[in-house]
Amino acid sequence: MGKASRRPRAERASRPARPKPASFEPRPFQGLPNETDWVAMREILPAATAVVTIAPEHVPDGAPSVATVATVLPMAWPALHRADGAVLVGTQSGGTSGDASRDLAAQLLAALAADQGVPITAIPPVTADSPRLQDVLAPDSTFELTLHEGFDFWVDDQELEGDAKESLERANASIVPTVALDALPSAYWVRIGERAHIRLVLPDDEDPATDALARLHAAGEDGLGDGTRLLGAFRTSGLLVPVWDLDPTLEAADHEDALGAWGTRYAAALASTEPLTADERRARAGLLSRQVTLR
């Protein structure tokens, strides 16, 4: 039996090339307003929203020119074009590429193109040619974050039924108290069970931020006062998020002054150009050993 004939070379050459995958972006939200709050919404906040404005060229006919970016949506949907016309995008629904900005832009564009009342249940394919949030959002778009005590913003004045209603009830039952602090941007106090913490998203690249934390730790200046200690930090979206354990008998507002003073010490440590001392190098190694990378 003869060999099967091969496809002509011209036919093989005419096949479309595979889309190039999106490249990894270590700081996917860099260049957006309030980058640190984009990171906070994606990683550490339970229930929060912010309204963004979409560039006119990306708004289909009949679609709204603004959208609500949220932490989580019902059933962990990536996005939703609600029956009242509002468009919502969930930042914590996961991603398909190495660039969270492209993933969220794809979710937003899919919701804008969907009919009203239709959820986006799967993230559309993302490639190197897919636009990023930096391309899709209007240059004058803001990102003013609002914390919520529950997830009722999912429905506004509308009613959920079935699985979506149960998802809302479960989500509201599991939420933890969270308070935004005023002393520093993107600083959040949270009470988990009988413990209380502050999580702060630093705006600086991971390496210099780690050096600054190491300088403070070696000098014994990394805490927020009596009854507090720096537990460590985790890395996410190219930024560092230190976490403090607090006196659980105190409330969020009780830490404002101490956090502001810490911010002054951190800025000085960050500005230092001196090589790390032996103690500071040991402190840095300890911080790195306790770091966890999210996503």
Side-chain angles (χ1 to χ4, degrees):
M1 188 173 180
K3 293 182 179 179
S5 61
R6 296 181 178 177
R7 291 183 179 179
R9 182 175 298 175
E11 182 182 343
R12 297 199 304 272
S14 65
R15 287 185 297 177
R18 291 183 178 179
K20 184 179 179 181
S23 59
F24 173 71
E25 289 289 341
R27 284 182 68 170
F29 305 115
Q30 190 171 27
L32 292 173
N34 297 346
E35 175 192 9
T36 52
D37 268 346
W38 277 96
V39 174
M41 181 175 285
R42 183 170 170 81
E43 299 294 353
I44 66 174
L45 297 178
T49 58
V51 176
V52 294
T53 304
I54 304 149
E57 62 270 24
H58 290 287
V59 180
D61 290 342
S65 61
V66 297
T68 297
V69 178
T71 47
V72 182
L73 295 181
M75 309 295 290
W77 291 331
L80 167 66
H81 197 154
R82 217 163 50 188
D84 64 358
V87 167
L88 290 81
V89 176
T91 60
Q92 297 179 16
S93 60
T96 60
S97 75
D99 184 354
S101 179
R102 291 189 201 276
D103 293 335
L104 292 176
Q107 295 166 219
L108 172 58
L109 294 175
L112 288 169
D115 292 334
Q116 292 184 11
V118 175
I120 304 302
T121 58
I123 298 175
V126 172
T127 71
D129 296 325
S130 300
R132 310 181 74 228
L133 286 172
Q134 290 83 342
D135 307 314
V136 172
L137 299 185
D140 61 349
S141 178
T142 59
F143 194 78
E144 300 299 329
L145 193 147
T146 299
L147 291 177
H148 301 273
E149 295 181 355
F151 294 93
D152 298 285
F153 64 83
W154 286 351
V155 293
D156 199 12
D157 296 330
Q158 303 180 48
E159 294 293 332
L160 287 178
E161 297 180 354
D163 291 342
K165 181 179 180 180
E166 293 179 6
S167 179
L168 174 60
E169 293 172 348
R170 288 195 303 270
N172 281 340
S174 66
I175 202 167
V176 296
T178 304
V179 178
L181 299 176
D182 296 326
L184 293 175
S186 303
Y188 297 95
W189 176 94
V190 58
R191 186 179 295 281
I192 304 176
E194 296 181 353
R195 306 189 70 173
H197 304 284
I198 285 177
R199 300 166 177 172
L200 169 66
V201 185
L202 297 174
D204 315 292
D205 282 333
E206 293 175 14
D207 285 344
T210 302
D211 286 349
L213 288 182
R215 295 183 193 276
L216 293 179
H217 184 73
E221 297 181 341
D222 58 343
L224 298 178
D226 293 341
T228 74
R229 68 187 179 101
L230 179 67
L231 295 177
F234 59 85
R235 297 173 295 172
T236 180
S237 300
L239 302 180
L240 207 61
V241 184
V243 180
W244 288 269
D245 196 27
L246 308 173
D247 180 345
T249 65
L250 300 179
E251 298 298 326
D254 297 323
H255 301 285
E256 292 281 12
D257 290 344
L259 184 62
W262 182 91
T264 301
R265 298 195 301 274
Y266 170 78
L270 186 70
S272 175
T273 58
E274 294 295 321
L276 295 180
T277 65
D279 286 344
E280 290 168 348
R281 290 196 300 271
R282 282 191 289 272
R284 191 181 198 279
L287 286 169
L288 291 175
S289 70
R290 300 194 303 274
Q291 276 186 7
V292 174
T293 301
L294 300 182
R295 304 193 188 189

